[in-house]
Amino acid sequence: MKKINIIFIIYYFVFLPKAFAETNYAFPWPGILPDNKIYKLKVLRNKIVEKIIVGPAKKVEFDLLMADKTIYASKLLMEKGKVDLSKETVLKGENYYSMLVQDYNMALLSHEQIPSWLDQKITLAAIKHQEVFKQLEDKVTGENKKTFQIVSKFSKINYDFIVGLRNPKK
Amino acid sequence: MKELISLYDNVLIYYPNVFFPVLFFLGIILIIFVIKGIVFLSKGTVLVIREIKRELKNRVKQRKKQVKIKQKERISFIQVIEDIFKKNKAPFLRNAKITFFRICTTSIFITSKIEKIIKKIKKEILIEK
C-alpha cells in the first residue's frame, strides 16, 4: 500500500509538470449536462442517493464518481462555449472531491477498509483532474483563468490531505 | 448481510435510474396492500361489532326473561300460600272455637266437681264437731 502511494507521489511531483501524454484514466459519461432544463431533477436524485448510501467506502466511491462526472461535464460545457457554467460546474466537481476526503476520513475513523483499487482510482483521478483543470485554464483568457487556478490548488490540497490520511504521522 | 448492503449500495450508485422507479412501484404496491388491509380489517371489525351487539341483545333478552320467570314464580308461590291459607282458615278457626269451648266446659266441670268435694268435706267436718 505504502509503495504504491510513493510511486504515485513520485509520478505526481516529477512527471506531471512535464507530462505531454495524458493519464490513462477514463471519465464516466456525465449524462444530462447542467445547461439542461431537467438537470435540477438529477441534482435532487443525487442528493437523495448521497443520503441513503449505507457503507462508508461506498460513499467515497460515490463522491469520486460524482467528482469525475461533474469535472468532465465542465470540460464538455467549455467545448460548447459556455464558460461561466463551466466555471461553476468545475467548482462543484472539486467540491465533490473535498467531500470525498471527508468521507475517506470518516471511513478510516469507523475502521472501514478502503479497497486498494479505490485508493489507486482516487490517486489517478486527482492527477486526471489536474490535467483537465490545466486544459480548461489554457482555453480561457483573463480573469476566467483564476477559477481554474483556484480549483487546481484545492485539488492539490485535497490530494495531500488524502495522502496524509493514508500515512498518518505517529 | 454485508453482501446485501454492498449490493444495495452498488445498485444505488451505478443504477439510480433503475432503483428509484422500482422503489416507486414497490411503494405503490405497498400502499395498495395497506389500503386493502385497512378495508378488510374495517369490514371485519364491523362484522365483529355487529355480532357482539347481537349477542349482547340476546343475552339481555334472556336475562329479562329469566327475571320475569322468577318474578312469576315468586308471585305464584305467594298465591299458593294465600290459597292454602284461605282454604285452611275456616277449619282452623272452627277447630280453635271447638277447643276453646271444650276447655271452658272442662274447667267448669272440674270447678263444679271441686265445689261438690269441698261441700262434702265441710259437712263431714261439721258432723264430727
Side-chain angles (χ1 to χ4, degrees), chain A residues 89-121:
Chain A
T89 309
V90 84
L91 285 167
K92 286 177 183 173
E94 192 49 41
N95 184 44
Y96 271 115
Y97 203 90
S98 307
M99 279 163 58
L100 181 153
V101 172
Q102 284 177 28
D103 290 333
Y104 195 101
N105 189 25
M106 291 304 291
L108 291 178
L109 285 171
S110 56
H111 307 290
E112 180 85 5
Q113 206 177 1
I114 306 289
S116 57
W117 63 267
L118 186 58
D119 263 333
Q120 285 173 21
K121 204 174 170 187

Side-chain angles (χ1 to χ4, degrees), chain B residues 27-41:
Chain B
I28 287 171
I29 288 165
L30 188 73
I31 288 165
I32 290 167
F33 275 123
V34 165
I35 291 167
K36 275 191 172 179
I38 289 167
V39 166
F40 176 75
L41 279 171

